[in-house]
Amino acid sequence: MNKIRKYLRSIKKLPKTLDVYRSKPAAKYPFDITIECSGTCNLRCKHCIFSEYMKRGKGIIKFEDFKKLFDKLDLKSIELINFAGYGEPLINPEIAKIVRYVGTRNKKINKYLVTNAVLLNKEMSRKLILVGLDEIYISFDGATKKTYEKIRRGSRFELVLENIKDLIKLKKEMSSRKPKIIIYFTLMKDNISELAKMTELVDRLGIEIQILPLVIRRDKEDMDISLKGMSKENIRKHINEAIKKAKKLKNKKILAELEKIKKTGGMTEASGTWDNAPCYSPWTTCFITWDGEILPCCHFWDGQISYGNLFNGNFNELWNSKTARNFRKNCVKGKRNTLCARCGNQNSESYKKFCMITKILPVLKNFSDRSYK
């Protein structure tokens, strides 16, 4: 039955896959949308650009304004919606109301958010369970108090860990499978030595982990805290220790995540040199700020490129505006602009698959603006 469902889903996604393959300047509707529910934060994390580098306006979207934006979208095309942005979504006092509203409009949309979990007390956890949040990603970058609080400045290790445990407990008490809980672990020089300890902690909690090597946005500051200054041997040593621990614990999900990091040596997103890496994000996703600006993705934190403001326009028109089409044309050329080159999101695996398909069916080359070799 699962194989049949998977096959049917792949058939359903075929038009979008073809659109991505073709990479024309005008794109079909995105299926993954972020609406930033809070453009302000309660922490000043060591690796985040929010406190000193982000110059755009800071604020919180009101429920009625969220409805205005959301109701302009084609709900049949959207599969995923993220309520987080560059702020802390739980600061928004109407966040549960917002999540519930999306569910009432379309139950099939996967609703998720990323949080530092400082405000994830029992009351908030209960609300998020009741309104049907599908996934919650918790940024937790240290397995010890010292490391965690050095990175997550303004937070308390014990408080956040207790909040996570309370959410897990409440899910069981309320007999709810949702939200799925995933730890976001941003890999950097300060915490790579705790990768094995984090593996043990996540396994003990009975949840999942996603490991994200640090994206370099600020030149010297991020270079200094990223893995760039470490030897490959030292990086491999810490990753192998964590893999050994995951094998001992027989945790296949954590092991798979660690194996992905081992492949790249933890450096993929820390390199800042993906000048020519293929990217398909401008055909599948967009980022809408709390005040309505439509950005190509979350990497344009200061609205360096905006397709226009959704409060004042039509989504379809802005999604394929002149600015949007020109941006996609540049993506197809292969040469990323400065911001894109620093991003670790590069779709080499998808590109390789498309290349293989093109070799089998060379005629497909005629239908794409992208060069497949």
Side-chain angles (χ1 to χ4, degrees):
M1 186 62 72
N2 286 336
K3 285 184 178 179
I4 293 172
R5 285 199 192 103
K6 192 175 179 181
Y7 176 73
L8 290 173
R9 278 199 298 269
S10 64
I11 293 294
K12 188 180 176 182
K13 287 184 177 180
L14 189 58
K16 190 65 196 176
T17 303
L18 289 172
D19 181 54
V20 169
Y21 171 85
R22 293 172 72 236
S23 297
K24 298 289 182 181
K28 289 187 183 295
Y29 217 86
F31 62 81
D32 184 356
I33 290 179
T34 293
I35 300 182
E36 184 180 56
C37 290
S38 170
T40 188
C41 194
N42 52 350
L43 300 184
R44 294 297 179 265
C45 299
K46 186 175 183 178
H47 57 292
C48 185
I49 54 104
F50 176 84
S51 55
E52 295 175 27
Y53 280 75
M54 203 172 87
K55 305 302 179 188
R56 65 177 168 91
K58 296 175 175 65
I60 292 169
I61 194 168
K62 294 178 181 177
F63 175 64
E64 290 302 322
D65 286 335
F66 178 89
K67 282 175 65 179
K68 287 176 186 175
L69 294 180
F70 187 72
D71 289 348
K72 289 188 175 189
L73 303 175
D74 178 7
L75 305 189
K76 292 179 181 178
S77 299
I78 302 170
E79 296 176 22
L80 304 161
I81 183 163
N82 176 17
F83 301 104
Y86 274 95
E88 168 52 47
L90 301 190
I91 284 179
N92 191 321
E94 297 181 292
I95 187 65
K97 200 174 177 181
I98 287 169
V99 175
R100 180 192 282 120
Y101 182 72
V102 172
T104 59
R105 294 298 313 281
N106 187 338
K107 291 180 181 179
K108 292 181 180 180
I109 295 176
N110 185 289
K111 307 171 294 298
Y112 71 100
L113 58 78
V114 183
T115 174
N116 57 41
V118 171
L119 300 175
L120 190 68
N121 53 34
K122 288 181 182 178
E123 183 187 357
M124 178 60 75
S125 290
R126 189 179 296 276
K127 283 180 180 178
L128 293 176
I129 292 169
L130 288 172
V131 297
L133 185 70
D134 293 292
E135 296 176 359
I136 185 165
Y137 292 82
I138 299 172
S139 300
F140 201 70
D141 304 315
T144 64
K145 177 181 174 67
K146 183 180 178 182
T147 299
Y148 171 83
E149 292 182 4
K150 182 182 178 182
I151 296 169
R152 294 270 155 189
R153 295 182 296 210
S155 184
R156 286 198 298 117
F157 180 80
E158 298 88 350
L159 171 69
V160 173
L161 188 56
E162 196 61 33
N163 285 347
I164 295 169
K165 289 177 180 178
D166 284 342
L167 175 59
I168 295 167
K169 187 179 177 183
L170 274 170
K171 278 180 61 181
K172 289 178 182 176
E173 288 176 1
M174 296 170 71
S175 302
S176 177
R177 290 182 298 133
K178 296 177 181 179
K180 183 180 180 181
I181 306 167
I182 304 104
I183 293 294
Y184 254 177
F185 186 80
T186 304
L187 195 62
M188 59 187 92
K189 198 181 294 181
D190 286 339
N191 64 12
I192 191 170
S193 62
E194 295 189 0
L195 201 51
K197 281 185 181 177
M198 182 56 74
T199 296
E200 194 170 10
L201 176 60
V202 172
D203 178 78
R204 191 162 65 245
L205 291 169
I207 55 180
E208 295 182 28
I209 188 170
Q210 190 167 339
I211 303 165
L212 307 162
L214 179 70
V215 175
I216 294 176
R217 293 186 172 98
R218 309 165 301 173
D219 294 311
K220 188 177 186 305
E221 293 94 327
D222 287 345
M223 290 292 278
D224 288 345
I225 63 174
S226 76
L227 302 181
K228 285 291 269 185
M230 292 181 68
S231 69
K232 290 181 180 179
E233 292 74 18
N234 203 13
I235 293 169
R236 272 197 297 267
K237 182 190 84 170
H238 293 305
I239 294 173
N240 285 334
E241 283 174 0
I243 287 173
K244 186 178 178 182
K245 177 67 70 175
K247 285 179 177 177
K248 186 178 179 181
L249 294 167
K250 297 180 181 178
N251 193 314
K252 291 180 180 178
K253 287 184 178 179
I254 297 178
L255 181 60
E257 187 66 18
L258 290 165
E259 291 287 2
K260 279 197 297 185
I261 292 297
K262 186 179 180 179
K263 267 186 184 180
T264 62
M267 297 295 284
T268 303
E269 297 188 38
S271 66
T273 56
W274 291 107
D275 291 22
N276 299 300
C279 179
Y280 295 106
S281 291
W283 287 264
T284 63
T285 186
C286 72
F287 182 102
I288 304 173
T289 64
W290 69 273
D291 53 355
E293 294 295 323
I294 303 177
L295 314 181
C297 69
C298 66
H299 207 63
F300 294 85
W301 68 85
D302 249 348
Q304 293 93 331
I305 293 178
S306 173
Y307 300 160
N309 194 290
L310 187 53
F311 279 122
N312 308 320
N314 173 282
F315 183 84
N316 288 340
E317 291 174 3
L318 295 172
W319 172 245
N320 280 316
S321 64
K322 186 178 179 180
T323 301
R325 285 182 281 115
N326 285 339
F327 179 71
R328 293 188 191 107
K329 280 180 184 177
N330 289 330
C331 285
V332 169
K333 289 176 184 176
K335 190 70 176 175
R336 294 191 178 200
N337 65 35
T338 307
L339 276 174
C340 292
R342 292 166 185 262
C343 174
N345 179 32
Q346 49 89 22
N347 305 123
S348 295
E349 290 303 313
S350 296
Y351 178 77
K352 286 175 185 174
K353 287 177 183 176
F354 285 142
C355 285
M356 191 166 60
I357 292 167
T358 305
K359 283 180 182 178
I360 297 168
L361 296 168
V363 69
L364 290 177
K365 283 186 179 181
N366 301 325
F367 296 94
S368 177
D369 280 13
R370 200 182 288 268
S371 175
Y372 292 104
K373 300 173 183 177

